[in-house]
Amino acid sequence: MARNVQFFTTDTDDGTISVVAKTGPGEHRRIEQIRVGNAPRGGVKFTADGRGFVCNTSQNTVSEIDAVALEEVRRIEVGHGPRGQGLLPGDRYLLVSNSGSDTVSIVDLELNVELRQVPVGRDPRHMGITTDGRTAYVCVWGAGHVSKLDLSALVDDGDAAGVAEVAQIPVDRYAHPYSLAIDPSGQRVFVANTQAPYVTVIDTATDAVTNVDIGFIGGRAIQFSPDGRHALLTVETVSRVYVIDVETLQVTRHIPVGAGPRGLVVDARDETAYVTNFSRATVLGLAPELDYEPNTLTVIDLSSAPLDRDEDVFACEPVVVGYGPCSVTMFDLDTLPAEARAQRADRLRA
């Protein structure tokens, strides 16, 4: 059955969002590049009805894009140097980490305005929000900790003034925690560190910290396998995706990808992972095992080889996107009303 799935890469060097359509297994085509602001960063965050938001780091704004019309709709002013976002359940509020202001903005998506900023520490980057919307975890890259925010007042009463930082969970001041993901059980937060050769794992019940050695610096993005049993980590310096067993916290295998991998998203319906090949000089200068062109996605068939051991080779393919792709996210248009899906089908036929 044909699918209506689109992937959105944040092309930092182009100032665009590339849109790649997937209509079936191995069927990919770039159909648009959406012009946004200068130096977009982080993955596009989508509401259920197809409103997408991306940070313009050099312009102190968030661009809203339409997942069907594939165009920029508006820009919302936030703090200085926005880089990461988190969308609360219900799609009313968006959190934005401002690396230059050392704060997290709370944005009302009905009013399209910033309500307030919450201080979190020097140079915050990417974040994750629990499924109940009551807690946010924010990587504070410059200070070496993860900021834990209580969002209960916002969820219960729409009270932005009641949002507060309740903990600063230490990683290491030199580790530079960059991004994180909360595992499907909600019991652990996995943190990718750009300057430490380990992944930091936080127990959500106690805030206790465990480190998982990976041997190299350069961690960038974390996602989970469709069954939730493995964490997938992009390691930019060695152009690989590392696989970690969620229960044992052991590295089980390494998947070669294109040069300088950063962003990562998993399509659980067909067990496929998409990795952005940022393709700038890596820290270690090691040549990637896959000789892909710069500025591509590596598409990995996760069902083609086991995740629990280094055995066999994964089936992979490249898809060309824009320049400097730092992140990738996915939006399934089958979840939209029929009229919106028809508009998208017309665009593909054009």
Side-chain angles (χ1 to χ4, degrees):
M1 179 181 293
R3 296 182 61 197
N4 293 305
V5 178
Q6 292 176 169
F7 295 88
F8 294 75
T9 67
T10 305
D11 306 326
T12 299
D13 297 344
D14 270 347
T16 62
I17 305 298
S18 286
V19 186
V20 174
K22 175 165 73 171
T23 55
E27 299 173 2
H28 301 91
R29 178 160 63 95
R30 188 175 73 179
I31 59 173
E32 189 63 86
Q33 282 190 292
I34 306 169
R35 177 66 57 186
V36 291
N38 289 341
R41 293 275 184 172
V44 181
K45 298 295 184 182
F46 284 101
T47 63
D49 60 357
R51 297 176 71 191
F53 300 89
V54 67
C55 294
N56 300 313
T57 303
S58 296
Q59 291 186 317
N60 308 326
T61 60
V62 170
S63 284
E64 178 182 343
I65 62 175
D66 186 308
V68 176
L70 300 183
E71 62 186 16
E72 184 185 52
V73 175
R74 64 173 56 84
R75 295 182 187 179
I76 303 170
E77 293 186 2
V78 289
H80 294 288
R83 285 186 179 257
Q85 302 175 102
L87 190 62
L88 271 69
D91 296 341
R92 171 69 186 268
Y93 299 105
L94 179 75
L95 303 186
V96 182
S97 60
N98 304 306
S99 61
S101 298
D102 302 338
T103 61
V104 169
S105 291
I106 302 172
V107 177
D108 186 319
L109 295 181
E110 288 189 8
L111 302 176
N112 297 315
V113 296
E114 178 191 72
L115 300 178
R116 66 171 290 222
Q117 295 184 27
V118 181
V120 293
R122 184 165 62 88
D123 200 351
R125 298 295 177 98
H126 303 288
M127 68 178 75
I129 298 176
T130 55
T131 54
D132 62 7
R134 294 183 176 275
T135 306
Y137 294 89
V138 184
C139 289
V140 184
W141 190 85
H145 67 256
V146 171
S147 176
K148 184 177 181 180
L149 302 181
D150 182 356
L151 308 176
S152 298
L154 193 61
V155 172
D156 293 336
D157 305 311
D159 178 15
V163 173
E165 184 182 61
V166 293
Q168 292 184 349
I169 304 169
V171 179
D172 184 276
R173 62 177 298 187
Y174 301 111
H176 294 308
Y178 182 76
S179 72
L180 56 80
I182 303 169
D183 78 9
S185 73
Q187 297 177 353
R188 290 169 167 170
V189 178
F190 285 69
V191 183
N193 302 305
T194 60
Q195 296 300 317
Y198 53 78
V199 168
T200 298
V201 181
I202 301 169
D203 186 306
T204 57
T206 64
D207 294 344
V209 169
T210 302
N211 290 328
V212 180
D213 182 53
I214 59 172
F216 295 97
I217 64 173
R220 286 288 182 175
I222 295 182
Q223 290 288 317
F224 295 94
S225 59
D227 61 9
R229 294 174 55 192
H230 296 92
L232 309 177
L233 166 74
T234 56
V235 184
E236 184 176 21
T237 53
V238 292
S239 298
R240 292 179 178 179
V241 171
Y242 275 58
V243 181
I244 301 170
D245 187 295
V246 169
E247 289 302 317
T248 65
L249 299 183
Q250 298 294 313
V251 174
T252 57
R253 73 167 302 157
H254 319 85
I255 305 172
V257 291
R262 289 199 175 185
L264 169 66
V265 70
V266 174
D267 182 353
R269 284 181 59 183
D270 65 3
E271 297 187 76
T272 309
Y274 294 77
V275 180
T276 61
N277 303 314
F278 193 67
S279 195
R280 287 180 177 168
T282 58
V283 175
L284 299 182
L286 299 178
E289 294 177 51
L290 298 184
D291 187 23
Y292 287 173
E293 291 294 322
N295 308 308
T296 56
L297 290 173
T298 299
V299 183
I300 309 168
D301 180 358
L302 295 175
S303 65
S304 63
L307 290 174
D308 59 358
R309 58 192 182 277
D310 265 323
E311 179 183 300
D312 301 326
V313 178
F314 280 95
C316 300
E317 64 169 316
V319 177
V320 175
V321 290
Y323 287 95
C326 70
S327 301
V328 58
T329 52
M330 172 182 134
F331 188 75
D332 189 341
L333 283 99
D334 289 333
T335 62
L336 290 173
E339 181 179 353
R341 294 201 302 272
Q343 291 177 18
R344 190 264 187 174
D346 291 342
R347 174 178 287 273
L348 282 176
R349 285 192 291 268

